[in-house]
Amino acid sequence: AVVSTQSTGYITRNGDFKSQPIRVVVTSIEGLLETATTRLNLARAARRLFNSGGGGEVTVWGEVTRDMVLVVSTGENYVRKEEQRYRKNSWNASQRRIGSEK
C-alpha cells in the first residue's frame, strides 16, 4: 500500500498578524516553500517555516501535522506579536523625531 504524504495546512507571512492564514495542500517542505512564495506574493523565495504556536523552526516534513498553521519567512527569524508592536512603535517614534527636526 502506498502511504500518502499529502498534508493540508495553513500558511501565513512572518509578522502578519492581521490576515487569515491561507489553506494549502502540499506533499513536502520544498513544495510548501514554493507554494508559499506564490500564494503569499513574497518578494523573495520562502526559505524558512515556523510553528505558529511558538516559533519553533520546522525543517522536517514529519513535523508538519494536518491543519497546522505555519509561519513563512524569506530568511528572517520568527517575529512574535510583541516584537512586531515594538518595531512598529520604535519606527513611528523615529519618524516623529525626523519630522520634528525639519
Side-chain angles (χ1 to χ4, degrees):
V2 175
V3 178
S4 173
T5 59
Q6 180 172 297
S7 184
T8 303
Y10 297 85
I11 54 173
T12 188
R13 184 188 308 244
N14 193 25
D16 181 356
F17 300 101
K18 294 180 181 173
S19 302
Q20 283 289 102
I22 297 171
R23 184 176 182 270
V24 294
V25 178
V26 290
T27 58
S28 68
I29 291 283
E30 295 77 19
L32 186 51
L33 291 170
E34 287 176 22
T35 299
T37 300
T38 305
R39 296 285 306 276
L40 295 173
N41 295 319
L42 300 177
R44 296 191 329 240
R47 298 200 190 304
R48 298 172 75 188
L49 300 168
F50 300 94
N51 178 331
S52 66
E57 190 163 4
V58 176
T59 57
V60 179
W61 183 246
E63 296 173 337
V64 177
T65 59
R66 184 182 174 138
D67 295 332
M68 182 177 202
V69 177
L70 291 164
V71 176
V72 180
S73 149
T74 57
E76 69 277 4
N77 290 331
Y78 178 75
V79 176
R80 287 179 168 73
K81 197 165 191 168
E82 305 79 52
E83 293 171 16
Q84 175 80 0
R85 195 173 302 121
Y86 172 77
R87 286 180 183 179
K88 185 176 182 183
N89 289 339
S90 62
W91 184 85
N92 286 339
S94 71
Q95 290 305 105
R96 281 194 299 273
R97 279 195 301 277
I98 291 168
S100 66
E101 292 171 3
K102 291 180 182 174

